[in-house]
Amino acid sequence: MPNREEKRNLETIPVGSLGIIALEGCKSLGGKIDQYLVKWRTERESEHKDSLAFSGYQRPSYLLQAKVPRFGSGEAKGMILESVRGSDLYLLVDVANYSLTYSLCGQQNHMSPDDHYQDLKRIIAAVGGKARRITVIMPFLYESRQHKRTSRESLDCALALQELVRMGVDNIITFDAHDPRVQNAIPLSGFETVQPAYQFIKGLLRNKKDLQIDSQHMMVISPDEGGMSRAIYIANVLGLDMGMFYKRRDYTRIVNGRNPIVAHEFLGTSVEGKDMIIIDDMISSGDSVLEVAAALKARKARNIFVCCTFGLFTSGLDKFDKAYEKGIIDRVLTTNLIYQTPELLSRPWYINCDMSKYIAYIIDTLNHDSSISDLLNPNERIQNIVSKYKTGEL
């Protein structure tokens, strides 16, 4: 199969000179994306290379220098250190990167999602309306878990999306939004939520050699009713059966602000002897997904693979280590869209799914104002990699 960047017909005139600003929490991902773009654009032949519309098309780097220095009081300002006039700007931000710190009146403060979101707004404000177009690539959508209102509470995700649009952002690209319906808050603006289904399947097939991908030997599991559409998509594309769990809660009590889960009830056919792919949008503490894995093991499932776009691991890795030692989980796959600790990357049960090439494709295509529909629906690529796996080519 020829490289897709060679197949992509990007002969259209770029919207503007390509510029990428990777905020501090997204530097490593931004660097990888930049390498792909530099490589492709160096190799790409176009008879229009010398025309004015393509000026600055081939450069040693598309990353623009920007910083957010802080005062001793913890206040900050956004600064862009080179011209962005007429640029097609892509801002990369990881609101879940808690590893960054700043000084607050002599105390060391770890950056919260609120801090990262505020820094993003500072950089947009520093652009000052000079860019041709601004696209925010925010893989973990800020406040996406606060997406609907029950009783008197704030709708934080909707407010943030509206605020970005008011500041002049043209497109917002996120990955696996907790609930894609948040885009109803900005119905006249560009909003894409991208699924990393292909990268999960590729990561699994490259790391496990003895899988039989058919409905007799494998099943896709949704750990709750909210994530059904992800599981249905992968089950349909791979031709597998699907099962789901739902959380049975005790509505007579409230613990830590919510009704406690009594049990995870399973709906689906027999899992005995089959490999399980549990798919969800995020691992927070990991309690739910490990309870689901244990329940599947009790039903005599074979290997259990957990695929989640965002691995937050808010309660550490110990419980996953124990589950791996007991044979409850076989592998955990998450993406590099958010910060990963060195400890996570060293774990024997962990598979890292690199998304930098995929984001580079999206940026490259959008800069040429071409359609990304084929990138958003990876069915063909999934079928190709599965057939390669079955014939032993992978």
Side-chain angles (χ1 to χ4, degrees):
M1 182 182 167
N3 283 343
R4 214 158 3 111
E5 61 264 22
E6 291 166 10
K7 287 199 328 187
R8 296 195 79 71
N9 178 23
L10 299 179
E11 285 292 307
T12 52
I13 292 173
V15 173
S17 178
L18 176 59
I20 300 170
I21 297 178
L23 275 84
E24 197 58 45
C26 227
K27 281 276 193 279
S28 61
L29 182 64
K32 288 181 180 173
I33 292 166
D34 186 47
Q35 284 173 358
Y36 280 115
L37 290 167
V38 169
K39 177 175 176 288
W40 297 339
R41 293 195 167 195
T42 306
E43 292 169 357
R44 186 173 292 146
E45 286 307 317
S46 164
E47 68 257 38
H48 312 296
K49 282 280 167 62
D50 301 323
S51 80
L52 201 55
F54 275 72
S55 70
Y57 189 74
Q58 292 179 333
R59 299 208 302 274
S61 173
Y62 299 97
L63 290 169
L64 302 177
Q65 297 305 307
K67 62 180 183 179
V68 184
R70 286 187 182 261
F71 304 103
S73 58
E75 296 163 294
K77 62 178 178 182
M79 298 174 70
I80 299 174
L81 307 177
E82 47 194 298
S83 173
V84 292
R85 190 177 292 277
S87 294
D88 184 21
L89 274 190
Y90 294 82
L91 275 49
L92 294 165
V93 59
D94 173 14
V95 298
N97 190 340
Y98 59 88
S99 71
L100 298 179
T101 59
Y102 62 91
S103 175
L104 175 62
C105 299
Q107 307 287 323
Q108 197 184 56
N109 236 18
H110 280 265
M111 285 185 73
S112 71
D114 292 347
D115 289 318
H116 286 293
Y117 175 64
Q118 205 65 26
D119 280 1
L120 169 67
K121 290 196 299 184
R122 290 180 175 117
I123 291 297
I124 296 169
V127 171
K130 303 293 188 297
R132 177 76 45 86
R133 186 173 72 174
I134 298 176
T135 301
V136 168
I137 299 178
M138 185 189 284
F140 185 90
L141 187 60
Y142 174 68
E143 288 287 359
S144 57
R145 296 165 85 176
Q146 188 46 34
H147 59 95
K148 64 176 189 279
R149 177 179 277 160
T150 51
S151 76
R152 292 177 292 279
E153 56 186 34
S154 58
L155 279 168
D156 295 47
C157 191
L159 285 172
L161 293 176
Q162 289 183 350
E163 189 173 20
L164 291 176
V165 167
R166 278 198 303 271
M167 291 185 78
V169 172
D170 297 277
N171 294 298
I172 297 164
I173 296 173
T174 188
F175 283 77
D176 213 349
H178 193 65
D179 185 341
R181 287 173 295 187
V182 294
Q183 67 188 289
N184 291 345
I186 48 165
L188 300 178
S189 300
F191 180 96
E192 299 290 351
T193 173
V194 186
Q195 297 292 334
Y198 169 69
Q199 284 78 9
F200 284 146
I201 292 163
K202 183 167 77 170
L204 186 58
L205 299 185
R206 284 196 168 156
N207 285 276
K208 295 297 290 183
K209 293 292 165 232
D210 58 342
L211 298 175
Q212 288 177 274
I213 305 165
D214 58 53
S215 54
Q216 278 77 49
H217 299 93
M218 194 178 267
M219 248 175 110
V220 183
I221 305 292
S222 174
D224 55 36
E225 63 279 16
M228 284 281 287
S229 58
R230 293 178 197 92
I232 289 169
Y233 179 78
I234 291 203
N236 285 343
V237 168
L238 293 180
L240 308 177
D241 275 345
M242 197 208 90
M244 71 161 277
F245 283 81
Y246 71 92
K247 298 179 176 104
R248 190 149 55 85
R249 294 180 182 273
D250 180 357
Y251 285 104
T252 62
R253 296 186 301 136
I254 291 179
V255 178
N256 293 334
R258 58 198 317 184
N259 303 102
I261 295 166
V262 181
H264 287 85
E265 301 287 359
F266 180 64
L267 302 172
T269 53
S270 168
V271 303
E272 191 171 341
K274 294 179 186 172
D275 291 330
M276 302 284 118
I277 298 175
I278 301 174
I279 184 125
D280 207 359
D281 62 333
M282 70 178 76
I283 293 170
S284 188
S285 66
D287 290 337
S288 285
V289 80
L290 291 176
E291 282 170 30
V292 162
L296 290 169
K297 272 292 180 190
R299 290 173 169 80
K300 300 184 179 162
R302 188 168 166 247
N303 296 320
I304 292 181
F305 308 109
V306 178
C307 299
C308 291
T309 309
F310 306 109
L312 299 168
F313 299 103
T314 55
S315 303
L317 304 174
D318 292 350
K319 58 182 79 170
F320 284 88
D321 292 336
K322 286 177 185 146
Y324 177 66
E325 283 158 23
K326 289 180 188 166
I328 292 170
I329 54 170
D330 191 277
R331 292 287 185 276
V332 175
L333 297 86
T334 74
T335 68
N336 64 337
L337 291 169
I338 61 169
Y339 171 67
Q340 299 157 301
T341 62
E343 295 78 44
L344 175 65
L345 293 168
S346 68
R347 288 299 197 265
W349 44 262
Y350 182 66
I351 296 173
N352 174 27
C353 300
D354 184 7
M355 300 296 292
S356 55
K357 191 175 189 182
Y358 191 31
I359 297 175
Y361 279 135
I362 291 171
I363 291 175
D364 198 21
T365 311
L366 287 177
N367 179 235
H368 279 266
D369 236 359
S370 296
S371 171
I372 57 169
S373 299
D374 62 319
L375 288 171
L376 299 180
N377 181 10
N379 180 27
E380 189 187 331
R381 281 173 292 153
I382 292 171
Q383 301 305 340
N384 282 336
I385 202 161
V386 168
S387 63
K388 278 185 183 175
Y389 183 81
K390 287 179 174 173
T391 56
E393 290 174 58
L394 202 61

